Amino acid sequence: MQNIKQNISLKPYNTFGMNVKATRFLTINSAKELQTLISTEKGPYFILGGGSNMLLTQDVAALVLKNEIKERKIIRDFKHSVYVAAGGGEDWHQFVLWCIKNGLGGIENLSLIPGTLGAAPIQNIGAYGVELKDVFHALEAVNLKTGKLEQFKKEDCQFAYRESVFKRKLKGKYFITRVILKLSKSPKVNVSYGAIKNTLAEMKVKTPTIKEVSKAVIKIRSSKLPDPAKIGNSGSFFKNPELSAGAFKKLQKAYPQIPNYPLPDGRVKVPAGWLIEQAGWKGKRIGDAGCHAKQALVLVNHKNAKGKDILKLSEKIQASVKKKFGVALSREVNVF
Ligand code: EPU
């Protein structure tokens, strides 16, 4: 293929700003283009979306496929709902704004999440009481081995908290070309999350529209989460641990003030950010690898940290949270 670039830096393509090299690099603009490539070019392939949920610790000796597939289209229109198709390479936040402009509700709470449409299902993105799976209908993806375009329904994706089959069994095996969401034309807003309620009150909004909820979310996120254009990061570095009822009770006895969210199955989710802050890491840095001063769950690249430096810091944090609370933190970000 003529357009394949050789030996390029991936720095502009990952939000941590890691300056690693890719042996080969190609942008993909359609499912067809990818299918042609698979029939002529051997892997290994490395799929790249917005690069907003990955920590690159080494050069990538593979053909990097950057998803640039664009599409935004209402494919079925009912009285109260619509099915919208979006290309895997669409920017998530720009798509959210487009939906809001068209009066389509359901993803306004997910405003300002970095990344692409194609990456959104992989980790079932979520924020402020809403997850992608709540509006997800289906997706189309090219099987990188056979070149076939396959459809995945919601149940095929095995969505869970920041999880899907694409992060587990099918990791790296499919390139997501198109995502179909079911959105509402008469949306009911979800303002159950305390921070949203408070921000809307500050904004003096009593009966919020989807646009106002989006504005509130943007306000909250911008106040706590570092802008990757200014300081390298990948959002939450760890997942919030889900503890058994017994384990949580023990922990609560020792730390009565621990924030917690009981889950329907009896387990209890606790905020990793709180555990990390209590363990003394908030705002700390080792060289240029840091723990964000306003949200301890976010690790940041102050300037020249290498992927390995961030990884080392993350392991130190994991060890100290384990020592203090007996809780194992697992990563949310993909490390390569
Ligand atoms: N907290 C602290 N110190 C901190 C951070 C958090 O004590 O430094 C405690 C506070 O008690 C706070 C609670 O943690 O009330 C929850 O904090 P926050 O609302 O900021 O949410 P989070 O649980 O830290 C999760 C998601 C975020 C998402 C927010 C809002 C995960 C791994 N992270 O963070 O998602 O934006 O909720 O819904 O579930 C991401 O995945 O990259 C991401 C940013």
Side-chain angles (χ1 to χ4, degrees), residues 49-100:
S52 59
N53 201 42
M54 64 170 53
L55 177 66
L56 296 168
T57 64
Q58 55 185 315
D59 290 340
V60 181
L63 172 53
V64 172
L65 302 174
K66 166 95 171 71
N67 195 336
E68 288 283 353
I69 300 176
K70 305 282 198 245
E71 178 188 16
R72 289 177 193 170
K73 194 169 162 196
I74 294 174
I75 51 171
R76 280 159 82 192
D77 197 340
F78 297 104
K79 193 167 171 212
H80 295 294
S81 63
V82 293
Y83 287 82
V84 183
E90 287 283 345
D91 176 77
W92 174 264
H93 179 60
Q94 292 309 318
F95 175 73
V96 172
L97 295 180
W98 179 83
C99 291
I100 292 171

Side-chain angles (χ1 to χ4, degrees), residues 188-247:
K188 279 199 200 90
V189 295
N190 176 342
V191 293
S192 55
Y193 207 87
I196 294 200
K197 261 190 218 147
N198 299 340
T199 308
L200 286 167
E202 265 171 39
M203 290 161 61
K204 303 208 182 338
V205 173
K206 284 214 175 86
T207 44
T209 59
I210 51 175
K211 195 169 176 187
E212 286 157 340
V213 170
S214 170
K215 277 204 174 136
V217 168
I218 290 172
K219 208 167 169 202
I220 302 166
R221 289 188 76 97
S222 327
S223 73
K224 280 203 225 177
L225 299 170
D227 176 356
K230 295 186 187 132
I231 177 161
N233 76 92
S234 269
S236 302
F237 197 88
F238 303 103
K239 290 198 263 190
N240 286 329
E242 299 171 317
L243 309 179
S244 69

Side-chain angles (χ1 to χ4, degrees), residues 123 126-129 161-162 193 221 224-225 234-236 238-240 259 261 269 271 273-274 277 282 294-297 332:
Q123 59 149 342
Y128 309 107
Y161 167 57
R162 294 297 193 279
Y193 207 87
R221 289 188 76 97
K224 280 203 225 177
L225 299 170
S234 269
S236 302
F238 303 103
K239 290 198 263 190
N240 286 329
Y261 317 102
K269 198 187 261 192
W274 185 87
E277 181 174 349
K282 195 170 185 169
K294 291 184 193 159
Q295 180 20 311
L297 195 48
E332 204 241 74

